[in-house]
Amino acid sequence: MSQKVAQVIVDTLQAAGVRNCYGIVGDTVNVIAERIRESDIDWVHMRHEEAGAFAAQAEALLMNRLTAMAGSCGPGSLHFINGLYEGYRNRAPVILLATQIVTAELGFRFIQEVDFKSVYRDCSVFCDMIYTPEQALRKTVLACQTAIAKRGPAVLIVPVDIATAQMHDLTPFRVQTPRPVLLPNAAELDQMAALLNQGDKITIYGGSGCQHAREQILAVAERLQAPIAHTSRAKDFLEYDNPHNIGMTGLLGNEAGYHAVRDCDTLLLAGADFAWRQFYPDKATIVQIDCEPTHLGQRHPVTLGVTGDLAPTLEALLPRLTPRRPGKFYETALKRHRTVIAASEAKAAQPGPGGIIPGKLVASVLNRIAADDALFVADDGTPAVWLVRYISATAKRRTFASLLHGTMAAGMASALGLQKAQPGRQVIALCGDGGFSMLLGDLLTAVQEELPIKVAVFDNGKLGFVEIEQKAEGLVDVYTDLKNPDFGAVAKAMGLWGARVETADDLEEGIRAWLAEPGPALLHIKVEPMELVMPPAVELGAAVGMTLYAARAVLQGKGGEVLEMIEENI
């Protein structure tokens, strides 16, 4: 008895939990696509493979399940690379079937031959080729199992002649998915408790590792009477219904989170691998807990680093901690946070001069109107800032952005994967005009696949975040301007609902009409071009840079722009 290798691969993916496969058919992938058509896996027909990779990793993150993508030889499978890097940094369990030319021509510079092992080695947890039909089942099982166990992309390279060959050895290998619990030893738990109990001004800083440890983090904060700051990726898990919450630090954070982390004498890093060293305390006892040993002390020196799954580690630590009463440091941090957030929300609700629409106003209105269980995703840049600052977390909402890879164009493409995974939920993509136009063609995927995503395009006529970077370096902005079409009209031509909003008076009505559409819909919003993203603390270099920019702009006849920027932001 035998089976075609393509069938074995598809059967193994299905048994490993794959529901959807994102890709574009053609050439070497056709035989696999045909087997997928006959399986329970849905083929999601993309217009660009990069968008398919963003969509697949978004589904994998949301659903915590293996998700597939497939591409043809040469350029087809190459197009997945940016989305695979996104999935690698987000620890998304995905698998790419990178189909290849026939094995007899490998190594002879044949047309469309690409060494996928070299290409994908640095953005995958598994990357290997099926060399013979008899390897097919074991290699596919190993690829799936590695993606799930190590939480990252697996790349399985499949030459077309192997995919069409018959496999005779059907030894029943299958994917194993053990879930071990990782705990520090008793001595390490005692050391952690001793360091924390000695602290006077204690702050907890939680990262994305807190996703399944919310109750335990809150219990430790209550025991220590410590404020909880969090990274942008931990917003969904630590912001809502949290009496100890003081928000974010970092470039996207607020003064309360910034000062609580910088000014503490004891910092508990819980599942956080925050990259920016300047936001850590200069002199403090730092205790770090992470399930990944290589993260310990990677960003900043720590007093004690322990490896463990966060929830069970904190449960074991809690009885060792001495209960405290609220102190001045704790109460000051909470009061500062309440003041900062109230002022920030009040400012976000105000239109700009002359009825101009600030980007933060769009987020503020959306925050009020969107569903309590909405899924939000944003392009990198200013849309991501408005998302993490002004879209409130709830017990049901989730927010996604390219916060580790920092790539443009991920917003709308990721929304496709979120909607495919959760067809009954409201999915909202906040897109920059630059990032959105990079993968504009995949709006047609929303139409063809009947995915009712809601896309908001923030049109400030430029690469806004890049312009801010240039100004902070003291440069007059160059090559950031964008000449945009009416994206609402473009959407209509592509078969979606589309509209355009240009004034603050029309914003709420436009958003309500857009969200009420049953199918895919796009709202083109003209936003304030001079709006800046202000960090919780401005470093000397950036302040000097802005001063130099203003002087150079005036000398070059752009004094009006400087005045407009000051009026809008200060």
Side-chain angles (χ1 to χ4, degrees):
M1 184 178 179
S2 64
Q3 271 189 319
K4 189 172 284 189
V5 165
Q7 185 67 58
V8 170
I9 292 172
V10 172
D11 288 347
T12 305
L13 294 182
Q14 185 171 306
V18 171
R19 305 281 185 86
N20 298 305
C21 181
Y22 298 81
I24 298 176
V25 295
D27 201 358
T28 53
V29 80
N30 286 338
V31 63
I32 290 175
E34 172 63 19
R35 298 302 173 182
I36 287 176
R37 184 181 67 84
E38 297 172 353
S39 73
D40 293 333
I41 298 173
D42 282 345
W43 179 274
V44 186
H45 181 186
M46 308 300 298
R47 298 305 174 103
H48 195 294
E49 289 93 348
E50 181 179 355
F54 286 134
Q57 67 90 34
E59 175 184 326
L61 286 174
L62 176 65
M63 305 304 295
N64 192 29
R65 70 182 178 213
L66 186 65
T67 305
M69 57 196 97
S72 60
C73 59
S77 289
L78 273 181
H79 282 158
F80 287 102
I81 189 164
N82 195 36
L84 233 64
Y85 264 103
E86 176 81 354
Y88 181 72
R89 293 199 162 102
N90 288 334
R91 304 191 72 190
V94 294
I95 181 168
L96 167 62
L97 303 180
T99 60
Q100 182 62 284
I101 64 170
V102 295
T103 52
E105 295 294 347
L106 287 172
F108 296 102
R109 300 179 185 176
F110 195 75
I111 183 171
Q112 293 192 318
E113 179 182 359
V114 171
D115 183 356
F116 289 129
K117 277 193 176 184
S118 297
V119 169
Y120 285 116
R121 182 180 295 115
D122 289 338
C123 62
S124 62
V125 295
F126 174 96
C127 185
D128 204 356
M129 185 163 69
I130 302 175
Y131 292 98
T132 70
E134 306 312 314
Q135 289 186 342
L137 179 56
R138 292 173 67 188
K139 281 275 176 78
T140 308
V141 165
L142 184 57
C144 293
Q145 189 162 321
T146 306
I148 295 168
K150 292 189 175 181
R151 296 196 60 81
V155 179
L156 186 63
I157 304 163
V158 188
V160 64
D161 56 316
I162 298 294
T164 56
Q166 293 292 322
M167 176 180 168
H168 301 286
D169 180 4
L170 297 178
T171 303
F173 293 96
R174 63 186 181 89
V175 177
Q176 306 290 333
T177 55
R179 302 290 184 194
V181 175
L182 192 59
L183 272 174
N185 61 47
E188 290 173 329
L189 290 166
D190 289 340
Q191 281 182 276
M192 278 195 291
L195 292 170
L196 293 170
N197 286 332
Q198 290 169 11
D200 179 35
K201 298 183 293 184
I202 306 172
T203 296
I204 298 172
Y205 190 37
S208 60
C210 296
Q211 180 171 2
H212 302 295
R214 172 184 159 81
E215 291 182 10
Q216 291 80 5
I217 285 282
L218 266 61
V220 169
E222 181 67 27
R223 180 68 57 91
L224 295 175
Q225 289 297 293
I228 302 175
H230 61 80
T231 65
S232 51
R233 296 177 71 228
K235 170 187 174 73
D236 293 354
F237 322 121
L238 296 180
E239 183 179 84
Y240 71 93
D241 296 339
N242 178 357
H244 311 286
N245 177 49
I246 52 166
M248 298 179 294
T249 183
L251 295 171
L252 308 184
N254 68 77
E255 295 95 312
Y258 172 80
H259 284 293
V261 173
R262 286 281 297 169
D263 300 342
C264 69
D265 64 20
T266 306
L267 181 66
L268 174 59
L269 283 177
D273 187 35
F274 183 65
W276 306 99
R277 291 181 60 185
Q278 63 267 40
F279 292 98
Y280 285 86
D282 293 326
K283 296 179 181 179
T285 297
I286 301 179
V287 176
Q288 184 176 7
I289 306 169
D290 205 290
C291 65
E292 175 53 64
T294 60
H295 288 177
L296 301 176
Q298 176 178 230
R299 307 302 182 183
H300 189 282
V302 301
T303 310
L304 175 65
V306 299
T307 303
D309 294 327
L310 197 55
T313 298
L314 293 177
E315 286 178 356
L317 177 66
L318 187 63
R320 293 170 161 86
L321 299 177
T322 303
R324 297 167 180 253
R325 294 182 179 275
K328 183 178 179 181
F329 178 78
Y330 173 77
E331 292 178 336
T332 300
L334 294 184
K335 182 179 179 180
R336 180 181 278 143
H337 181 250
R338 288 192 296 268
T339 302
V340 166
I341 294 303
S344 177
E345 290 177 348
K347 186 174 182 180
Q350 299 300 314
I356 292 175
I357 305 172
K360 62 174 72 76
L361 176 61
V362 179
S364 176
V365 174
L366 263 176
N367 189 47
R368 286 192 288 107
I369 296 175
D372 187 57
D373 67 343
L375 301 173
F376 288 90
V377 61
D379 275 342
D380 188 51
T382 51
V385 177
W386 310 143
L387 171 68
V388 298
R389 283 186 175 177
Y390 300 107
I391 299 297
S392 299
T394 72
K396 298 178 182 178
R397 279 182 180 174
R398 288 293 308 275
T399 57
F400 301 86
S402 184
L403 296 165
L404 297 180
H405 189 39
T407 181
M408 295 173 67
M412 182 268 291
S414 296
L416 297 171
L418 297 175
Q419 192 74 82
K420 183 67 178 178
Q422 294 272 275
R425 289 176 77 171
Q426 188 180 69
V427 177
I428 300 171
L430 311 182
C431 300
D433 45 359
F436 171 72
S437 57
M438 290 177 76
L439 289 175
L440 174 63
D442 268 284
L443 266 186
L444 293 168
T445 299
V447 176
Q448 183 162 328
E449 297 287 333
E450 299 180 342
L451 299 171
I453 61 172
K454 304 297 181 282
V455 179
V457 181
F458 289 62
D459 178 10
N460 58 5
K462 59 188 176 182
L463 302 174
F465 218 77
V466 176
E467 184 175 292
I468 292 170
E469 292 169 350
Q470 291 178 348
K471 288 175 178 176
E473 293 170 12
L475 305 173
V476 175
D477 46 290
V478 291
Y479 309 129
T480 60
D481 58 305
L482 298 172
K483 186 175 182 179
N484 292 322
D486 181 339
F487 287 116
V490 171
K492 287 180 182 178
M494 297 173 78
L496 294 84
W497 181 95
R500 179 182 171 100
V501 174
E502 298 188 18
T503 65
D505 288 342
D506 298 328
L507 180 62
E508 182 160 336
E509 181 181 350
I511 287 178
R512 288 188 182 276
W514 165 63
L515 293 181
E517 279 298 306
L522 182 146
L523 187 63
H524 178 172
I525 307 171
K526 287 289 292 182
V527 297
E528 167 57 58
M530 292 296 172
E531 188 173 17
L532 295 178
V533 175
M534 305 299 289
V538 179
E539 293 188 350
L540 179 61
V544 171
M546 278 293 183
T547 304
L548 288 173
Y549 155 73
R552 289 170 178 168
V554 169
L555 289 173
Q556 294 184 22
K558 295 184 177 182
E561 289 186 8
V562 175
L563 290 174
E564 186 180 347
M565 182 180 72
I566 293 171
E567 181 182 18
E568 169 59 27
N569 297 282
I570 301 175

